[in-house]
């Protein structure tokens, strides 16, 4: 197994990030950070995708502050025994990662985090990988129409790999409300016309 490359300034980036979040979220993120690193001295802090990550023989988890909550994401969450029913995703979700949401400091249970981190470490030590069969890629009719109305975007999208196309389609399909979906579709067409993949913001992080 190749040794993971850790960002040389991860600690600096994480500290800067924590100093930039709201006064409500900072103690929440600090508690999560300390709880994770206290599990095992071998855990390394990392910085990827503009977010604090934690690594031991592979990625374990990452956290970030959203507008209305804090999220803790486990990369191999689908393989973790969610005995506390902490993950927000349905067990049938096809994604490999799983997220826990916290709205207040009192929502955070360090025992749950430690349990799931230990499970994630064990998965990495055994080199167990996520094996999830992806569903057939189906282009929604509303997205197809939007692409056909923009010649440049349509041309670029056709040239994308299946994975790059799937990133956009799943982003749209995952929208809970039509208003959200339409807003994402406008953004998607704009980015695609510019030759950008769904996660272009994180390509150089």
């Amino acid at each position: 197994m190749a040794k993971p490359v850790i960002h040389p300034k991860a600690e600096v980036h994480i500290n800067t990030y924590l100093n930039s979040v709201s006064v409500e979220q900072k103690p929440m993120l600090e508690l999560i950070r300390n709880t994770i690193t206290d599990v095992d001295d071998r855990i390394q802090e990392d910085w990827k995708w503009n977010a604090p990550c934690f690594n031991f023989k592979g990625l374990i988890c990452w956290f970030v502050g959203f507008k209305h909550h804090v999220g803790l994401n486990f990369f191999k969450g689908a393989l973790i025994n969610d005995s506390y029913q902490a993950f927000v995703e349905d067990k049938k979700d096809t994604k490999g990662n799983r997220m826990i949401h916290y709205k207040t400091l009192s929502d955070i249970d360090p025992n749950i985090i430690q349990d799931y981190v230990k499970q994630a470490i064990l998965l990495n030590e055994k080199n167990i990988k996520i094996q999830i069969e992806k569903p057939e890629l189906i282009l929604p009719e509303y997205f197809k129409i939007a692409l056909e109305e923009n010649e440049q975007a349509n041309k670029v999208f056709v040239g994308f790999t299946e994975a790059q196309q799937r990133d956009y389609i799943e982003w749209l399909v995952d929208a809970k409300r039509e208003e959200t979906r339409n807003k994402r579709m406008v953004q998607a067409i704009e980015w695609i016309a510019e030759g950008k993949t769904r996660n272009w913001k994180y390509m150089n992080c």
Side-chain angles (χ1 to χ4, degrees):
M1 185 191 305
K3 187 176 180 180
V5 178
I6 303 298
H7 196 296
K9 295 184 178 180
E11 183 178 1
V12 174
H13 283 302
I14 294 174
N15 289 339
T16 301
Y17 172 72
L18 291 177
N19 287 329
S20 71
V21 300
S22 68
V23 293
E24 293 81 14
Q25 290 191 352
K26 184 176 181 180
M28 296 170 66
L29 295 174
E30 287 179 334
L31 175 58
I32 295 173
R33 179 188 191 184
N34 293 333
T35 300
I36 294 170
T37 54
D38 284 346
V39 171
D40 194 308
D41 291 338
R42 298 172 297 175
I43 293 176
Q44 293 178 284
E45 292 187 328
D46 200 0
W47 181 259
K48 295 181 184 295
W49 311 297
N50 283 336
C53 299
F54 299 86
N55 197 303
F56 175 66
K57 293 187 176 181
L59 294 165
I60 297 173
C61 58
W62 61 271
F63 65 69
V64 70
F66 295 100
K67 186 175 182 180
H68 299 297
H69 67 272
V70 163
L72 174 60
N73 187 299
F74 285 85
F75 288 96
K76 296 181 179 178
L79 299 178
I80 288 176
N81 177 20
D82 186 20
S83 56
Y84 296 94
Q85 298 183 333
F87 294 138
V88 298
E89 293 88 354
D90 187 279
K91 290 183 179 180
K92 296 179 181 179
D93 197 297
T94 58
K95 294 182 294 184
N97 61 305
R98 294 290 187 272
M99 178 85 76
I100 303 176
H101 289 177
Y102 303 107
K103 292 185 177 180
T104 66
L105 185 62
S106 60
D107 290 340
I108 301 173
D109 186 339
N111 293 321
I112 296 176
I113 296 175
Q114 290 175 352
D115 182 352
Y116 290 10
V117 168
K118 289 176 182 177
Q119 290 189 56
I121 288 175
L122 189 59
L123 290 169
N124 285 353
E125 286 184 314
K126 293 183 176 181
N127 196 27
I128 298 176
K129 301 184 182 298
I130 293 283
Q131 300 291 340
I132 294 180
E133 185 176 341
K134 291 185 178 291
E136 181 184 355
L137 186 64
I138 300 175
L139 185 66
E141 187 65 23
Y142 56 81
F143 191 31
K144 179 181 178 182
I145 293 172
L147 285 168
E148 289 175 346
E149 291 177 348
N150 188 310
E151 184 178 352
Q152 177 61 20
N154 197 33
K155 180 180 178 181
V156 173
F157 190 79
V158 170
F160 276 163
T161 65
E162 181 179 325
Q164 291 169 334
Q165 292 179 354
R166 185 181 296 275
D167 283 342
Y168 272 113
I169 292 173
E170 290 182 345
W171 187 44
L172 296 175
V173 173
D174 285 347
K176 298 293 188 295
R177 298 185 302 164
E178 184 177 358
E179 179 185 355
T180 302
R181 187 195 72 191
N182 291 339
K183 184 177 179 180
R184 289 181 180 181
M185 190 156 58
V186 171
Q187 183 65 85
I189 295 298
E190 179 183 329
W191 284 347
I192 294 170
E194 295 173 355
K196 296 175 179 177
T197 60
R198 162 73 179 91
N199 298 305
W200 65 272
K201 291 182 179 180
Y202 312 117
M203 296 299 289
N204 296 318
C205 295

